[in-house]
């Protein structure tokens, strides 16, 4: 550990380096200021960066050069949004922090600072991960005599002037992660979430890019919050030209009140830099996530979820048929979705009463679970523990346990209210009932839903989203502690709770309620910017999509579902023999290839137009890869544009093969391109010349395997 020598101001440039990224913080001006976040400078690391980046003093301005540092105090002459917003009865709203301690190692830096007069102590830690991702955690402690009302603590990072574009994601139910980009202009671009949960509209990561940066080219800086409540991602450009990106929890009024001695811990921010485009950013995020001890390491089991097969219509005979059909196909995990608990014949009743409904399950769940487990499959069960229907025993006993303000009952969402886990009794009720089921039954997996937004989320009148978010993390961790090996899927009407914070507590995300393969191509592509495929549920849905009405071939649905934690969500008892055989073949293929699909580097190819997608997964040693060419809509030319396959070893030769684990794609052509019969080519030729796709009908895809010779 290095200590700051405040007398000589030595050791004031701290450099954290990993995997080609360097993150340099200068404290010579008395505040930690990030002077470089980008490519590792190697031998140039020791250059006088502070001098190189210091600014002159313009006319009509503060008379000294500005070094705002990460706390961005107004007291330093800084006129952008400060990191800390808050006050103590109208006082102490403007602070000036002085560094009190600094500890650094080659991969970490912790700086503590204080403003005695304002009664606040702050700390920031930067932890460089081996994959080049920097985890940044900030706290503020009230060392004053009475309460400080903290409105905001944002983690800010300066962007270099050549970061000129932003990219983030918006979305809604069944259409999550729609990309939107814009030039960075003067002003503040804010992506705020006030839903009390992560939201379908959550960006997961906010990107800033150099001009024209793409999947493999250009520089990318991104921030992502490890948080599942209300959030704010910001990109700010000041009249001075300074550009920064910030991320933090969006605190509701009063949520940040700190009594004397209390500390607020801001959600950690994952800050990622890539000099090799968006794919490089994704690769770093995946390698960081995959290295965490909580990341699932066992093969991701092929899953069958019964929701789109039976909905609320739970019938043991029918479900048994489904179990048998699933088992024949090679399914490894069978998940009983909504509809099994007290009074839950429809979505107007039952939430809150997590006991098996004897009216539908007179012998409990054992007859079904036994069938599932004796076929060698795991059994999973659906919950939505943070919710309650007015028509439930829980609500009748404890109407005071729902979130509400001003004596008003909030508007219902999907006919339900939100259970305020801030009430100890409510928390214990949910934990107790779920725990009892996990104890009695052989349940190795739970799908945990969250189907409505929070409105007037008040705990005894005070805003309670932060507390609720912490409570659900605690509850998941407690369940896992009590039931070692338990896996949890995070769902919120599909992809409404997909974020880097929840990734620390669950093993899978339900990516979207949309199982339409065409929509899924987009949703999965963009969710995978930050979340690796092994964490993203992707199911083969019914032939006729329930959420869009589109009809897709099994081959297209199965090829799409392959690039995730694969599963099936379709009444396969109604599938034809041919379809079941195709599913069985695809299931075998998924099992053979999931090792690669769930560990390799994701590569997306920039196509010349928007009629096709090309994406793949390449093994880190470049020995093998799987790519998909996806015809989203009819190709513009009568000869579809050649597609390139980057990411392989340019020096090696590969065997290139078309594979059809779930049947052939539909195409119309008098003659097919000859490579479809199999060829050998170098990685360089594949990256520079590429392949000519067959003339596919729209909404069809082919799968290509590449193996190093
Ligand atoms: C949500 C989920 C679905 C399903 C239903 C059950 O919409 O996203 O997958 O579990 O709830 O009610």
């Amino acid at each position: 550990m290095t200590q700051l020598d405040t007398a000589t101001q030595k050791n004031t440039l701290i450099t954290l380096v990993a995997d080609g990224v360097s993150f340099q913080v200068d404290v010579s001006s008395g505040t930690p200021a990030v002077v470089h976040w980008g490519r590792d400078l190697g031998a140039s690391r020791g250059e006088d960066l502070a001098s190189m980046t210091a600014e002159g003093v313009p006319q009509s301005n503060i008379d000294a050069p500005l070094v705002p540092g990460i706390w961005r105090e107004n007291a330093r002459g800084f006129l952008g949004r400060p990191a800390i917003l808050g006050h103590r009865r109208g006082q102490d709203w403007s602070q000036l922090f002085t560094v009190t301690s600094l500890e650094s190692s080659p991969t970490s830096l912790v700086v503590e600072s204080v403003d005695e007069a304002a009664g606040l102590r702050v700390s920031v830690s930067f932890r460089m991960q081996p994959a080049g991702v920097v985890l940044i955690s900030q706290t503020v402690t009230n060392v004053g005599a009475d309460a400080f009302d903290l409105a905001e603590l944002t983690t800010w990072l300066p962007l270099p002037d050549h970061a000129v574009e932003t990219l983030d994601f918006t979305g809604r139910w069944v259409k999550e992660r729609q990309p939107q980009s814009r030039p960075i202009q003067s002003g503040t671009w804010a992506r705020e979430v006030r839903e009390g949960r992560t939201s379908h509209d959550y960006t997961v990561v906010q990107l800033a890019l150099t001009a024209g940066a793409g999947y493999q080219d250009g520089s990318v800086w991104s921030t992502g919050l490890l948080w599942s409540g209300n959030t704010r991602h910001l990109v700010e450009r000041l009249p001075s030209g300074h550009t920064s990106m910030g991320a933090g929890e969006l605190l509701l009024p009063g949520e940040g009140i700190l009594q004397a001695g209390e500390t607020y811990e801001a959600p950690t921010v994952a800050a990622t830099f890539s000099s090799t485009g968006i794919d490089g950013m994704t690769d770093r995020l995946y390698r960081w996530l995959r290295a965490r001890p909580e990341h699932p390491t066992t093969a991701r089991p092929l899953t069958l979820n019964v929701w789109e097969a039976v909905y609320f219509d739970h019938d043991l005979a029918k479900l048994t048929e489904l179990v048998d059909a699933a088992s024949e196909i090679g399914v490894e995990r069978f998940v009983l979705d909504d509809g099994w608990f007290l009074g839950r014949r429809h979505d107007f009743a039952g939430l809150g009463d997590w006991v098996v409904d004897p009216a539908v399950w007179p012998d409990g769940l054992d007859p079904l679970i036994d069938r599932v487990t004796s076929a060698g499959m795991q059994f999973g069960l659906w919950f939505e523990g943070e919710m309650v229907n007015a028509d439930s025993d829980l609500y009748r006993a404890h109407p005071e346990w729902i979130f509400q303000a001003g004596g008003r009952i909030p508007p219902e969402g999907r006919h339900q209210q939100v259970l305020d886990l801030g009430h100890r009794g409510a928390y214990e009720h949910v934990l107790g009932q779920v725990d009892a089921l996990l104890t009695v039954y052989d349940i190795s997996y739970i799908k945990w839903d969250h189907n409505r937004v929070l409105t007037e989320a008040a705990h005894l009148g005070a805003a309670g989203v932060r507390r609720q978010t912490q409570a659900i993390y605690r509850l998941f961790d407690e369940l896992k502690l009590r039931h070692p090996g338990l896996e949890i899927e995070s769902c919120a009407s599909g992809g409404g709770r997909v974020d880097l914070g929840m990734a620390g507590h669950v093993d899978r995300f339900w990516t979207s309620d949309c199982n339409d393969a065409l929509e899924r191509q987009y949703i999965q592509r963009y969710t995978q910017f930050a979340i690796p495929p092994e964490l993203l549920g992707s199911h083969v849905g019914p032939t006729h999509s329930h959420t869009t009405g589109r009809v897709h071939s099994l081959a297209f649905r199965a090829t799409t579902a392959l690039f995730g934690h694969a599963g099936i969500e379709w009444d396969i008892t109604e599938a034809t023999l041919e379809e079941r055989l195709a599913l069985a073949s695809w299931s075998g293929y998924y099992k053979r290839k999931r090792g690669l699909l769930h560990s390799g580097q994701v590569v997306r190819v920039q196509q010349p137009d928007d009629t096709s997608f090309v994406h793949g997964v390449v093994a880190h040693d470049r020995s093998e890869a799987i790519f998909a060419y996806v015809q989203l809509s009819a190709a513009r030319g009568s000869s579809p544009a050649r597609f390139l396959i980057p990411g392989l070893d340019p020096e090696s030769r590969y065997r290139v093969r078309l594979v059809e684990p779930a049947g052939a794609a539909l195409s119309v052509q008098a003659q097919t391109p000859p490579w479809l019969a199999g060829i050998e080519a170098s990685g360089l030729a594949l990256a520079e010349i590429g392949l000519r796709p067959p003339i596919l009908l729209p909404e069809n895809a082919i799968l290509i395997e590449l193996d190093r010779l």
Side-chain angles (χ1 to χ4, degrees):
M1 287 287 170
T2 309
Q3 299 294 329
L4 173 69
D5 182 345
T6 36
T8 62
Q9 296 282 299
K10 288 219 177 93
N11 300 326
T12 55
L13 180 68
I14 286 90
T15 301
L16 313 179
V17 183
D19 197 41
V21 176
S22 81
F23 190 90
Q24 298 190 278
V25 182
D26 183 80
V27 286
S28 60
S29 63
T31 185
V34 178
V35 286
H36 178 64
W37 170 32
R39 224 179 167 130
D40 180 19
L41 300 176
S44 303
R45 266 179 226 152
E47 301 272 355
D48 187 356
L49 297 183
S51 301
M52 290 172 73
T53 57
E55 292 152 27
V57 178
Q59 298 288 352
S60 180
N61 217 309
I62 302 290
D63 293 334
L66 276 182
V67 184
I70 60 155
W71 302 109
R72 298 162 55 108
E73 303 102 313
N74 189 232
R76 293 182 196 276
F78 183 71
L79 295 175
R81 191 176 183 127
I84 292 177
L85 293 174
H87 67 98
R88 192 191 311 272
R89 284 180 286 103
Q91 305 288 307
D92 300 339
W93 58 274
S94 179
Q95 309 95 28
L96 180 63
F97 294 106
T98 310
V99 174
T100 53
S101 79
L102 176 153
E103 282 198 358
S104 72
S105 76
T107 55
S108 75
L109 167 65
V110 181
V111 186
E112 298 205 341
S113 312
V114 75
D115 179 339
E116 298 285 359
L120 294 178
R121 194 167 62 223
V122 289
S123 81
V124 57
S125 81
F126 303 97
R127 284 170 290 144
M128 176 65 89
Q129 305 302 295
V133 174
V134 188
L135 299 180
I136 307 173
S137 306
Q138 297 188 170
T139 67
V140 53
T141 301
N142 178 10
V143 293
D146 51 5
F148 183 86
D149 186 357
L150 178 73
E152 183 176 319
L153 170 51
T154 301
T155 300
W156 285 98
L157 289 166
L159 288 170
D161 299 334
H162 54 287
V164 294
E165 292 171 9
T166 64
L167 171 61
D168 50 54
F169 300 92
T170 177
R172 62 165 172 89
W173 179 66
V174 300
K175 205 167 177 74
E176 294 86 346
R177 320 284 159 246
Q178 302 166 44
Q180 51 181 13
S181 55
R182 68 196 290 270
I184 297 177
Q185 294 175 329
S186 286
T188 303
W189 176 242
R191 296 301 320 284
E192 294 192 337
V193 172
R194 294 171 184 274
E195 284 183 19
R197 62 172 179 183
T198 311
S199 171
H200 299 83
D201 185 42
Y202 183 58
T203 187
V204 188
V205 283
Q206 160 91 57
L207 285 71
L209 310 97
T210 49
Y215 286 117
Q216 282 90 38
D217 312 303
S219 291
V220 179
W221 294 260
S222 76
T223 51
L225 279 167
L226 278 64
W227 192 241
S228 314
N230 288 332
T231 51
R232 184 186 283 118
H233 282 81
L234 301 157
V235 176
E236 177 195 76
R237 185 177 167 87
L238 298 173
S240 61
H242 291 120
T243 309
S244 317
M245 63 200 305
E249 179 182 7
L250 187 153
L251 290 168
L252 292 175
E255 277 193 313
I257 293 178
L258 297 173
Q259 300 302 333
E262 282 185 347
T263 297
Y264 169 80
E265 286 181 26
T268 295
V269 172
T272 310
F273 166 76
S274 158
S275 58
T276 53
I278 295 166
D279 284 356
M281 174 203 74
T282 296
D283 183 50
R284 290 193 190 285
L285 284 165
Y286 286 13
R287 284 189 289 126
W288 158 56
L289 289 166
R290 286 171 174 165
R292 299 163 314 142
E294 60 268 36
H295 197 74
T297 48
T298 54
R300 301 293 75 211
L302 185 73
T303 298
L304 183 131
N305 179 297
V306 307
W307 180 241
E308 290 200 1
V310 301
Y311 292 105
F312 291 108
D313 195 5
H314 285 198
D315 170 72
L316 180 59
K318 171 75 186 185
L319 287 164
T320 305
E321 250 190 276
L322 259 176
V323 173
D324 295 346
S327 162
E328 275 173 34
I329 285 167
V331 166
E332 298 163 302
R333 176 182 279 163
F334 184 95
V335 182
L336 184 65
D337 210 278
D338 195 358
W340 56 269
F341 46 96
L342 215 54
R344 190 67 169 175
R345 302 287 69 73
H346 41 66
D347 58 12
F348 288 88
L351 294 173
D353 299 339
W354 304 107
V355 286
V356 179
D357 191 343
V360 189
W361 297 95
D363 301 314
L365 294 175
D366 274 333
L368 181 67
I369 296 181
D370 288 348
R371 190 82 170 205
V372 169
T373 52
S374 57
M377 293 184 274
Q378 298 176 3
F379 181 78
L381 193 62
W382 182 93
F383 292 92
E384 194 180 2
E386 294 141 286
M387 299 293 157
V388 58
N389 285 117
D391 184 1
S392 66
D393 289 349
L394 176 66
Y395 188 80
R396 281 183 283 273
H398 290 287
E400 76 285 6
W401 280 355
I402 63 163
F403 272 131
Q404 56 188 308
R408 295 178 289 274
I409 301 292
E412 291 194 338
R414 207 193 179 196
H415 326 296
Q416 64 202 47
Q417 296 290 356
V418 184
L419 191 65
D420 172 6
L421 298 178
H423 291 287
R424 197 178 170 77
Y427 180 90
E428 294 298 336
H429 167 83
V430 178
L431 177 64
Q433 287 199 328
V434 178
D435 179 53
L437 286 159
L438 298 182
T439 305
V440 170
Y441 289 116
D442 186 358
I443 298 171
S444 40
Y445 183 76
I446 60 179
K447 173 179 174 187
W448 192 281
D449 221 323
H450 186 294
N451 278 320
R452 64 154 289 173
V453 296
L454 275 57
T455 53
E456 296 207 287
H459 172 79
L460 305 176
V465 168
R466 177 171 172 80
R467 184 203 296 255
Q468 185 85 347
T469 310
Q470 290 168 327
I472 195 62
Y473 289 159
R474 203 165 62 245
L475 194 129
F476 284 170
D477 295 349
E478 180 64 27
L479 287 172
K480 285 189 164 199
L481 198 69
R482 292 189 192 181
H483 303 278
L486 175 73
E487 290 202 4
I488 302 178
E489 174 175 17
S490 166
C491 174
S493 294
R497 193 147 70 177
V498 178
D499 64 79
L500 296 171
M502 196 48 87
H505 304 271
V506 301
D507 307 275
R508 191 189 208 233
F509 294 106
W510 183 223
T511 317
S512 177
D513 271 356
C514 187
N515 287 317
D516 171 314
L518 179 62
E519 298 294 333
R520 274 292 184 134
Q521 284 291 336
Y522 297 89
I523 296 167
Q524 291 175 193
R525 184 185 196 84
Y526 296 117
T527 308
Q528 286 182 8
F529 267 42
I531 309 288
E534 64 271 25
L535 296 184
L536 295 174
S538 53
H539 294 172
V540 174
T543 313
H544 190 276
S545 166
H546 291 190
T547 53
T548 65
R550 285 198 190 101
V551 172
H552 287 132
S553 70
L554 176 54
F556 184 48
R557 281 139 62 212
T559 300
T560 302
L562 190 69
F563 290 87
H565 176 175
I568 300 167
E569 191 165 336
W570 171 27
D571 183 0
I572 47 172
T573 64
E574 309 257 290
T576 63
L577 179 61
E578 195 191 350
E579 286 171 327
R580 290 203 212 186
L581 290 173
L583 279 175
S585 143
W586 169 79
S587 140
Y589 187 78
Y590 167 70
K591 290 174 196 169
R592 284 196 300 283
K593 293 294 175 185
R594 62 188 160 193
L596 166 64
L597 291 165
H598 296 167
S599 69
Q601 188 170 352
V602 165
V603 174
R604 303 99 173 170
V605 182
Q606 189 59 56
Q607 288 293 87
D609 62 50
D610 58 6
T611 61
S612 60
F613 268 168
V614 178
H615 60 88
V617 180
V618 180
H620 282 285
D621 67 2
R622 316 266 164 235
S623 60
E624 53 171 338
I626 303 177
F627 273 80
Y629 172 88
V630 186
Q631 198 69 59
L632 300 163
S633 58
R636 291 202 200 279
S638 52
S639 174
R642 257 186 291 138
F643 63 98
L644 307 178
I645 302 189
L648 301 169
D649 174 12
E651 310 286 317
S652 297
R653 292 190 67 72
Y654 290 85
R655 181 170 347 105
V656 183
R657 290 194 314 138
L658 178 78
V659 279
E660 299 176 331
L666 301 173
S667 60
V668 268
Q669 53 210 336
Q671 204 177 320
T672 53
W675 71 265
L676 290 170
I679 53 157
E680 291 176 8
S682 71
L684 184 63
L686 289 161
E688 296 298 324
I689 309 295
L691 299 167
R692 179 76 65 187
I695 304 171
L696 295 176
L697 295 188
E699 298 167 28
N700 271 272
I702 55 168
L703 211 51
I704 304 145
E705 265 183 31
L706 300 115
D707 290 288
R708 184 155 57 197
L709 292 165

